[in-house]
Amino acid sequence: MSAVVTTVLAAAVAALPTAETHCPGVIVAERFGSSPGTAITHDRDAVPEGSRVVVVEKPHKGGGTTVAVGLKGLQPDRTYGAHVHTKPCGPEPADSGPHYQNTVDPVQPSVDPAYANPDNEVWLDFTTNTRGSGGAVATVDWRFREGAARSVVVHEHATETGPGHAGMAGARLACVNVPFS
């Protein structure tokens, strides 16, 4: 595993709750494949079959959540967007639904920076190194609603922030199911 992925995951695992905190955490480690399963690639050039993904979720005692993602085997020296989505992965890229939002924008798709922002969504944009490994960590001051966050989607490019484009990150390249708590 690359130093980038190892560093991201080590930080996330270190943040996992201890027995005293009584806060469950989630760790998903998968390989991307072409058929529906836990992790599916929709673009085999950008996210090749067999590339790896690890997602760690750590709810904080008293509120807040940290989510980390680490990937290996992607295109080198490329920036990707990644977000938590509301539905599980499926055979079609859109099957994973919209981005999870703590406060849901009444207008969908959400492109209003008041709702589509890294404080109201989980944004995990990252740039791969020369070996195609990368990762990101995001911390928000809220927890996921039960059953409302179901996957992490890797997108074509970094997340946009301007009005009318906020939250957009291009095509959905790959998806991994995560049983967020």
Side-chain angles (χ1 to χ4, degrees), residues 15-25 58-62 143:
L16 283 172
T18 62
E20 302 85 52
T21 64
H22 303 291
C23 293
K58 189 254 183 210
H60 302 272
K61 186 176 182 180
R143 290 201 185 156

Side-chain angles (χ1 to χ4, degrees), residues 88-150:
C89 310
E92 297 300 321
D95 291 344
S96 56
H99 295 176
Y100 178 91
Q101 294 182 320
N102 184 49
T103 302
V104 179
D105 186 343
V107 177
Q108 294 292 323
S110 180
V111 293
D112 180 347
Y115 295 94
N117 64 66
D119 294 324
N120 194 44
E121 300 181 349
V122 176
W123 290 7
L124 297 159
D125 295 2
F126 62 95
T127 300
T128 56
N129 62 18
T130 58
R131 294 185 309 266
S133 296
V137 177
T139 299
V140 292
D141 63 3
W142 41 264
R143 290 201 185 156
F144 296 110
R145 292 179 298 281
E146 186 175 338
R150 306 288 301 279

Side-chain angles (χ1 to χ4, degrees), residues 78-99:
R78 178 174 173 172
T79 298
Y80 293 84
H83 308 105
V84 173
H85 281 247
T86 61
K87 295 183 180 179
C89 310
E92 297 300 321
D95 291 344
S96 56
H99 295 176

